[in-house]
Amino acid sequence: MEKIKVGIAGLGRLGKEHAKNLSFKIANAELTAACSIVPSELEYAKKELGLEKVYLDFHEMLKDADIEAVVIVTTSDQHCWQIAAALDAGKHVFTDKPLGVTIEECKIAEKAVERHPELTFFLGFMRRFDPSYSHAKEKIKQGAIGKPYMLKATGIDPEALVEGAIKFASKSGGIFIDMAIHDIDFIRWFLESDPVEVYAAGATFKHPEFKAVGDDETGAAMYKCANGAIAFVHVGRTAPHGYHVETEIIGTEGTIRISPVPEKNLCMIYDQHGAVKECVSGFPERFADAYRIEMENFIHCIQQKDKPEITVYDGTKSTQIAFTTMEAYKKRKLLPITY
């Protein structure tokens, strides 16, 4: 089977991970072009990835490059128009989360996907492809914990990266839009029901810079789902030990916990500090396998003409939930979630 020729848009921290996977780790894909508005990223594409076709303009890449698919890893506010442009140019599309930063943008993406049912559209909720999370989902399908009725999700970025978070805070859309989109997706995936009510609150005790732009360093939200299930989401930006992602799904007959300790590996260090487990430093390290597996799945869907499990409508719903969560946080009141 011939390789799928791919162009990538965006070569920041995550874009580089996708580009390396496409270039070196996915047998049925060939990265042939790259686009970025940052010249140094295009130099990276030439020197580290060996690409000859690099572009400053997204439309030019779509028109000129010999590609069948586009991987979009640009800033969130660029996703939807690029999705529409790529699909209208006859390209299969993978886009990183979130789908868009407004509901209106998400609807643009929905209409573009609907115009092109012959093309593959793949939304990058990569945690669904993490081996631990996908195993948990399979166990739940098998009835291992009975009927799931509660989810507790924690996602905290490391304190070591907080300066970057502070710089980005004024443009992030707020802590829940910035930090909670994967956990919101998990509510719908694991509990198999849409949230219909939310209450949210935030706190800042260490970095007042977040408060200065109307945000917080830590946020917590509680959701009630249409089927009666409950979810709790805790997000933050100041984990002192590293990148902390943890999820617990509670059912009528048992519980599944994923990553209660964000272990770097199976090594245990015994020293003057006691028995110590090193922790992962960030999302590229923690979810390296997930990023590779989801991209393999994208290429597989193109070649086999399969429909991805995650749809454009999942992206819109996650955005709607995140925006209502931010509204509940700002108004300090319980709010209904409408779709």
Side-chain angles (χ1 to χ4, degrees):
M1 189 171 290
E2 291 187 3
K3 292 183 177 182
I4 301 296
K5 295 180 180 179
V6 183
I8 191 167
L11 285 168
R13 189 179 180 194
L14 178 54
K16 287 184 174 68
E17 296 300 316
H18 283 310
K20 287 185 287 188
N21 284 336
L22 288 163
S23 294
F24 309 120
K25 295 183 180 180
I26 299 176
N28 293 331
E30 180 183 2
L31 186 65
T32 61
C35 173
S36 174
I37 60 173
V38 182
S40 62
E41 292 182 1
L42 297 183
E43 285 301 309
Y44 170 87
K46 292 178 183 178
K47 293 180 180 179
E48 302 298 326
L49 304 175
L51 297 182
E52 296 181 2
K53 292 287 188 176
V54 296
Y55 304 87
L56 287 166
D57 183 83
F58 185 75
H59 291 291
E60 185 181 355
M61 181 176 75
L62 294 178
K63 181 180 179 180
D64 179 70
D66 180 19
I67 55 176
E68 302 160 77
V70 176
V71 170
I72 298 171
V73 207
T74 52
T75 55
S76 300
D77 60 344
Q78 302 295 300
H79 288 181
C80 289
W81 77 260
Q82 291 179 336
I83 291 166
L87 289 170
D88 288 341
K91 314 300 182 185
H92 304 283
V93 172
F94 172 102
T95 184
D96 188 41
K97 63 80 188 172
L99 178 62
V101 296
T102 68
I103 304 305
E104 292 74 19
E105 286 184 4
C106 291
K107 294 298 182 180
I108 290 172
E110 284 186 6
K111 290 177 181 178
V113 172
E114 290 166 357
R115 283 197 302 272
H116 299 284
E118 77 283 5
L119 297 172
T120 297
F121 173 77
F122 198 106
L123 182 58
F125 279 123
M126 89 295 177
R127 291 188 192 178
R128 293 197 190 194
F129 297 90
D130 175 75
S132 295
Y133 282 105
S134 59
H135 179 70
K137 178 66 173 179
E138 189 59 34
K139 296 299 290 185
I140 290 171
K141 284 182 178 179
Q142 294 170 5
I145 62 170
K147 175 66 175 177
Y149 65 86
M150 184 179 294
L151 179 140
K152 302 176 185 177
T154 298
I156 314 175
D157 280 350
E159 171 72 26
L161 301 178
V162 73
E163 291 303 320
I166 290 170
K167 290 179 182 178
F168 181 64
S170 63
K171 302 176 183 178
S172 72
I175 188 166
F176 294 102
I177 292 172
D178 182 30
M179 299 286 297
I181 202 77
H182 286 296
D183 303 301
I184 287 169
D185 179 60
F186 274 165
I187 296 172
R188 301 182 62 244
W189 193 45
F190 282 120
L191 299 181
E192 297 185 348
S193 183
D194 289 334
V196 293
E197 291 180 341
V198 59
Y199 178 79
T204 295
F205 284 88
K206 192 170 184 180
H207 299 285
E209 297 94 331
F210 288 110
K211 279 288 189 188
V213 295
D215 204 5
D216 272 306
E217 65 190 17
T218 297
M222 177 179 174
Y223 300 87
K224 187 69 176 287
C225 294
N227 68 354
I230 301 169
F232 301 89
V233 170
H234 166 210
V235 289
R237 293 148 165 162
T238 59
H241 51 280
Y243 180 60
H244 191 115
V245 172
E246 177 182 354
T247 308
E248 183 175 9
I249 307 104
I250 301 168
T252 55
E253 308 301 328
T255 296
I256 294 176
R257 294 188 72 187
I258 305 158
S259 301
V261 177
E263 299 175 354
K264 186 179 184 71
N265 50 44
L266 296 178
C267 179
M268 179 80 80
I269 301 170
Y270 299 87
D271 61 13
Q272 69 272 24
H273 302 293
V276 179
K277 300 280 288 186
E278 291 183 292
C279 296
V280 293
S281 60
F283 66 85
E285 183 179 12
R286 168 62 182 86
F287 291 108
D289 287 340
Y291 286 122
R292 174 183 53 78
I293 293 168
E294 72 169 354
M295 196 60 67
E296 288 174 343
N297 195 270
F298 172 54
I299 299 300
H300 171 84
C301 286
I302 295 173
Q303 292 182 321
Q304 301 300 322
K305 294 182 169 55
D306 288 345
K307 288 295 182 182
E309 175 189 326
I310 308 169
T311 71
V312 67
Y313 308 107
D314 290 316
T316 299
K317 281 194 172 182
S318 293
T319 302
Q320 289 170 318
I321 296 165
F323 270 95
T324 307
T325 305
M326 278 303 303
E327 188 180 358
Y329 157 77
K330 291 176 180 177
K331 292 183 176 180
R332 300 183 182 181
K333 61 188 294 187
L334 179 73
L335 290 180
I337 302 172
T338 57
Y339 301 97

